[in-house]
Amino acid sequence: MTVSDNNDKEQFPLEILPDIEANPAGYRLLERVPFSDLTEESNYPVVLGPEAPDEKSLIILDTETTGLELENSQIIELGMVKVKYSVHEARITRIVSVYDEFEQPEEPIPEVITRITGIDNAMVEGKHFTEARVMKFFQDNPLVVAHNATMDRGFTEKRFGSLFSNMNLRLPWACSVNDVEWHKICPGIASRKQEYLLNVRGYFYEAHRAINDCLALLWLLHSTPGVMPSLLGNARRKNLALRVTAAGNTWNFRDAFREFGYRYVRFRNAWEKICQDQNEVNRELEMIRTQFLIPDSQVQVAVLDAYTRYRDKLGL
């Protein structure tokens, strides 16, 4: 049972306290994510821990878009939270600033997007991202973290890529979905969705708005032991991506490709597997040549690091 205040935010139903006292095991209490309602830049900076001599910048970024397909969708809300973190201690020391703006897309916002995000055409009408403010966030080449970095990196570079080039920016990216070993940090978790990860730690927030998602992810990174070391360690690693063009008879081997850990990347029309080192690549190449009889001309190996990882829809 919930009630709403004048701002349409749910409040705790105090009238059920006797029921909770009678059956405490039947209820669970969730706390609002700290800072999640402090969306104005004037609220910052905020100190989260002692300063460190090796601090670097990190941006937590989220986008709300008109759709999931990069080719025919646009960003309608960009949210960012800039923080400082200690490289060696792998901890966030302070929140520096926040950014949250709308931009009117070329086409009307689909109704399904409005239902999910609450963002309608009236909210974005005549709005544009302040590019100077956006570029100020990125000017010191921070590590950019997103919860599903493939999507957010694609949309961000589509919208601001020319500005990044003009400033000679080459940004490293990390993904809090794939670069955190959640199965070790939170054994038995059923999902890596951000809302779920916070719920199991006893927190809630209003999701599917870019700045809210950023502030919630900040708290998840800051408050969950082991997350920042895992994220930073995996962001520093290098992998090799083995890609096999899906031409000729490769589609006939689709079940075998999937069995051996490959995924089909539609926009590349290729099968892809991430390998840990050259020895694994060599083993895969031998299998491809001998069992699938695929020529070397259909095979490509790309090096993935924080600068090239999660650029799926923009080339290698």
Side-chain angles (χ1 to χ4, degrees):
M1 178 179 179
T2 59
V3 294
S4 297
D5 61 15
N6 292 332
N7 294 320
D8 292 327
K9 288 186 177 180
E10 293 182 344
Q11 297 186 70
F12 190 86
L14 297 176
E15 64 271 18
I16 69 169
L17 285 176
D19 297 329
I20 296 174
E21 291 176 349
N23 180 27
Y27 296 84
R28 187 177 179 199
L29 182 64
L30 297 180
E31 177 186 354
R32 182 180 296 278
V33 169
F35 314 121
S36 63
D37 57 347
L38 301 180
T39 58
E40 297 296 328
E41 194 165 1
S42 59
N43 294 305
Y44 300 93
V46 173
V47 175
L48 298 180
E51 291 188 17
D54 62 342
E55 289 181 352
K56 287 190 175 182
S57 293
L58 180 151
I59 287 177
I60 298 167
L61 179 148
D62 186 64
T63 59
E64 301 300 339
T65 64
T66 57
L68 299 179
E69 294 297 324
L70 179 65
E71 293 76 12
N72 52 24
S73 303
Q74 294 177 282
I75 304 175
I76 53 176
E77 183 189 17
L78 174 65
M80 294 187 289
V81 177
K82 191 165 190 177
V83 306
K84 292 291 185 179
Y85 73 99
S86 168
V87 176
H88 292 98
E89 297 178 25
R91 64 176 175 84
I92 298 172
T93 61
R94 65 187 182 277
I95 312 171
V96 177
S97 57
V98 297
Y99 170 93
D100 181 43
E101 283 190 318
F102 293 123
E103 183 160 84
Q104 183 176 356
E106 294 175 358
E107 301 292 335
I109 300 172
E111 290 184 7
V112 64
I113 298 299
T114 297
R115 287 198 299 270
I116 293 171
T117 66
I119 302 172
D120 58 29
N121 292 298
M123 294 169 65
V124 302
E125 185 175 0
K127 302 291 180 62
H128 298 281
F129 300 135
T130 307
E131 295 181 347
R133 286 187 63 201
V134 174
M135 291 302 106
K136 186 176 180 180
F137 263 68
F138 291 112
Q139 66 184 1
D140 56 349
N141 289 285
L143 173 66
V144 185
V145 177
H147 204 70
N148 186 11
T150 298
M151 177 175 176
D152 289 306
R153 178 169 190 171
F155 277 100
T156 301
E157 294 191 347
K158 175 185 176 182
R159 173 61 179 82
F160 301 105
S162 60
L163 297 176
F164 292 157
S165 296
N166 291 340
M167 293 180 64
N168 295 316
L169 289 178
R170 187 168 178 261
L171 299 170
W173 283 73
C175 180
S176 52
V177 174
N178 298 308
D179 291 332
V180 175
E181 296 170 297
W182 290 109
H183 62 289
K184 294 181 180 179
I185 294 170
C186 303
I189 62 166
S191 171
R192 290 178 292 175
K193 289 185 176 181
Q194 186 169 296
E195 284 182 273
Y196 172 83
L197 292 169
L198 282 158
N199 284 167
V200 298
R201 289 190 52 76
Y203 296 99
F204 75 96
Y205 69 102
E206 282 74 38
H208 304 301
R209 283 293 305 275
I211 191 60
N212 294 349
D213 286 343
C214 290
L215 290 165
L217 180 55
L218 160 70
W219 187 249
L220 190 63
L221 299 180
H222 171 66
S223 67
T224 311
V227 169
M228 278 293 287
S230 181
L231 177 76
L232 296 175
N234 282 308
R236 296 187 189 107
R237 79 187 190 279
K238 289 187 177 182
N239 299 119
L240 297 172
L242 183 62
R243 293 169 181 149
V244 182
T245 303
N249 65 347
T250 58
W251 195 248
N252 296 332
F253 296 113
R254 58 188 179 276
D255 292 335
F257 271 117
R258 293 183 180 118
E259 181 181 348
F260 285 111
Y262 288 77
R263 67 186 181 106
Y264 176 66
V265 183
R266 179 177 60 81
F267 64 89
R268 277 204 188 96
N269 191 32
W271 296 97
E272 180 178 88
K273 182 174 184 177
I274 306 301
C275 300
Q276 298 304 311
D277 52 39
Q278 189 62 48
N279 289 332
E280 185 178 356
V281 169
N282 293 340
R283 290 193 297 270
E284 294 295 324
L285 289 173
E286 182 65 19
M287 179 197 71
I288 289 170
R289 290 168 181 147
T290 59
Q291 296 189 35
F292 298 163
L293 302 179
I294 295 173
D296 290 346
S297 60
Q298 288 182 227
V299 180
Q300 184 181 50
V301 179
V303 177
L304 299 182
D305 58 18
Y307 294 95
T308 57
R309 195 177 289 120
Y310 307 119
R311 298 191 72 228
D312 268 0
K313 296 193 175 183
L314 295 168
L316 296 178

